[in-house]
Amino acid sequence: MNIEHKKLIYALNQRFKMDIISADCETIPLQGGTVGNVYLLKGIAETVDGEKLPYRIVLKHQNKWERYGDPGSWRREYDLYSSDLGSTFSPALRSPTCYFAELNAEENEYQLWLEYIDGLTGLDLTSDMYEKAALELGRFQGKLYAEQPAVLQSLTNLSHTDFMKNTYLHYRSWPVVYDYIRSEDCQFPLHVRQMLIDIDEQADQIFARIEKLPLVLCHRDFWVTNLIYVDGKFALIDWDTSGSGYLGEDLASLIADEADIDHMVEHYQRCIPAYYKGFSEYVDVSLITDHCVYEIILLVFGYRLVEQYLHTVADDEKTKCVHILQKIYEMKALDGHIWLQWSR
């Protein structure tokens, strides 16, 4: 990766709020793929007064690509970081600071120079941290829903409200997964198969219930690898799927996406009341009688887990998919208790 020195210096000026005149740079790939790359840049920056400051900064280089049903997603992070959305965050839940954002419209690519945040993430998060993440998510979405800041109206490149529904219908129309759970060759337990079949048969009624829930700004990739926990606060990265969605969509991702299987049911039981507690600090939720999180989990992750099962050859990965579906099955029995607990 060739780092443009002038851009690095500009980003470091923003990072330190000081006049940086030079910096060396070591580049370390953090993640990558065919559509974009993320790098950690580290080194020593020198100020005009001769002070030498160690730094770490993230450079994200994104090329145009097309996500199914969401053609604008490739440049969404650039649009969001270039907007005033950052003013809506709280210290407890925010995105990384963007020091410099540059779009090359002719080449269909952009660069983001971002704050590097070193903390706990992924399955290193504890159950208490899951619960706190759910609480802060509820507060964030509740505040935006109640206040409707002007920045929400200015964001024109957001994923569509029906993104979740359309993705589910796309999966359901795919014979590879649809036919498998109905076939004699299916290796899933009968009750798991029936759970997936039932969600298909009841989908119209379920979506009718979901569509009565408040519309909120959803991250739509709110899983533990995108959460970084430091000193009791969260930073949330990778906003390229964000858009208008229904209350509980992000909570479903927190609980079920690359789940901590051993604590998945516990997280379901703890995170729903925490999420509604946070949301209710800004919005009256007394008229909401059905949170629909269980159904959203199945709609979003049911067929995705079937796909993963069918396309992996490793026995332990296949077993993991089945175990997650089993944990989702176990969640349903908790719904009455959770809602009674919250309503009190």
Side-chain angles (χ1 to χ4, degrees), residues 134-146 148 160-162 164 206-220 222 243-255 268 271-297 299-300 339 342:
L135 174 68
E136 297 301 340
L137 172 66
R139 285 173 172 161
F140 171 68
Q141 292 181 332
K143 182 179 180 182
L144 290 185
Y145 182 83
Q148 291 295 306
H160 195 268
T161 302
D162 287 337
M164 173 184 65
I206 290 170
F207 277 113
R209 287 159 48 206
I210 291 172
E211 288 163 4
K212 294 178 182 178
L213 294 170
L215 282 174
V216 296
L217 178 65
C218 286
H219 180 272
R220 282 212 166 102
F222 196 86
S244 175
Y246 293 100
L247 193 70
E249 279 193 52
D250 283 339
L251 188 62
S253 296
L254 177 65
I255 295 167
Y268 183 80
C271 288
I272 292 174
Y275 177 69
Y276 271 83
K277 178 182 177 182
F279 194 80
S280 68
E281 291 179 9
Y282 298 91
V283 182
D284 180 9
V285 298
S286 61
L287 298 179
I288 300 175
T289 58
D290 187 355
H291 57 74
C292 297
V293 176
Y294 165 80
E295 289 84 355
I296 294 172
I297 288 174
L299 291 167
V300 174
W339 206 241
W342 160 245

Side-chain angles (χ1 to χ4, degrees), residues 19-74:
D19 190 3
I20 304 296
I21 59 172
S22 66
D24 59 14
C25 182
E26 179 184 357
T27 305
I28 303 170
L30 291 179
Q31 64 183 52
T34 58
V35 298
N37 293 284
V38 184
Y39 303 93
L40 170 63
L41 311 182
K42 54 188 280 190
I44 303 295
E46 184 175 353
T47 71
V48 69
D49 296 324
E51 184 178 1
K52 295 187 177 180
L53 304 171
Y55 74 87
R56 289 186 292 180
I57 198 168
V58 172
L59 173 60
K60 185 168 188 175
H61 182 101
Q62 182 69 55
N63 300 309
K64 183 176 182 179
W65 70 295
E66 217 169 284
R67 174 180 281 115
Y68 172 79
D70 190 15
S73 66
W74 75 273

Side-chain angles (χ1 to χ4, degrees), residues 78-323:
Y78 170 81
D79 293 331
L80 293 180
Y81 277 113
S82 299
S83 75
D84 196 33
L85 184 64
S87 65
T88 68
F89 296 126
S90 72
L93 181 66
R94 64 181 182 87
S95 67
T97 300
C98 182
Y99 304 122
F100 180 41
E102 182 181 42
L103 174 68
N104 185 336
E106 291 183 358
E107 298 294 331
N108 285 323
E109 63 181 9
Y110 66 80
Q111 289 186 349
L112 299 175
W113 300 74
L114 301 167
E115 172 188 10
Y116 176 76
I117 302 172
D118 189 13
L120 294 176
T121 188
L123 296 183
D124 289 333
L125 298 179
T126 66
S127 294
D128 288 342
M129 294 172 191
Y130 271 76
E131 185 174 345
K132 182 172 177 56
L135 174 68
E136 297 301 340
L137 172 66
R139 285 173 172 161
F140 171 68
Q141 292 181 332
K143 182 179 180 182
L144 290 185
Y145 182 83
E147 297 179 357
Q148 291 295 306
V151 64
L152 289 183
Q153 311 306 318
S154 69
L155 296 174
T156 58
N157 182 20
L158 292 174
S159 57
H160 195 268
T161 302
D162 287 337
F163 181 77
M164 173 184 65
K165 183 176 184 178
N166 292 337
T167 302
Y168 161 74
L169 293 174
H170 176 70
Y171 263 116
R172 196 178 74 178
S173 66
W174 188 23
V176 170
V177 293
Y178 183 89
D179 292 345
Y180 177 72
I181 63 171
R182 293 163 171 80
S183 72
E184 295 181 359
D185 296 330
C186 182
Q187 298 298 305
F188 296 163
L190 287 176
H191 63 278
V192 168
R193 296 170 63 181
Q194 193 60 51
M195 173 180 69
L196 295 168
I197 293 170
D198 287 346
I199 207 78
D200 286 341
E201 293 177 348
Q202 300 164 18
D204 289 344
Q205 298 94 317
I206 290 170
F207 277 113
R209 287 159 48 206
I210 291 172
E211 288 163 4
K212 294 178 182 178
L213 294 170
L215 282 174
V216 296
L217 178 65
C218 286
H219 180 272
R220 282 212 166 102
D221 203 10
F222 196 86
W223 65 306
V224 288
T225 299
N226 284 338
L227 283 165
I228 306 171
Y229 181 82
V230 184
D231 297 331
K233 303 170 184 176
F234 290 96
L236 181 57
I237 63 174
D238 290 352
W239 288 77
D240 60 286
T241 51
S242 56
S244 175
Y246 293 100
L247 193 70
E249 279 193 52
D250 283 339
L251 188 62
S253 296
L254 177 65
I255 295 167
D257 197 350
E258 293 296 321
D260 178 357
I261 301 175
D262 292 339
H263 299 93
M264 192 173 171
V265 176
E266 176 193 354
H267 294 160
Y268 183 80
Q269 192 166 11
R270 292 179 63 173
C271 288
I272 292 174
Y275 177 69
Y276 271 83
K277 178 182 177 182
F279 194 80
S280 68
E281 291 179 9
Y282 298 91
V283 182
D284 180 9
V285 298
S286 61
L287 298 179
I288 300 175
T289 58
D290 187 355
H291 57 74
C292 297
V293 176
Y294 165 80
E295 289 84 355
I296 294 172
I297 288 174
L298 264 181
L299 291 167
V300 174
F301 296 102
Y303 275 127
R304 189 190 300 185
L305 287 163
V306 176
E307 178 188 22
Q308 291 176 8
Y309 178 92
L310 292 174
H311 287 87
T312 185
V313 296
D315 288 340
D316 59 337
E317 289 299 314
K318 288 182 178 291
T319 300
K320 179 181 176 181
C321 293
V322 176
H323 283 173

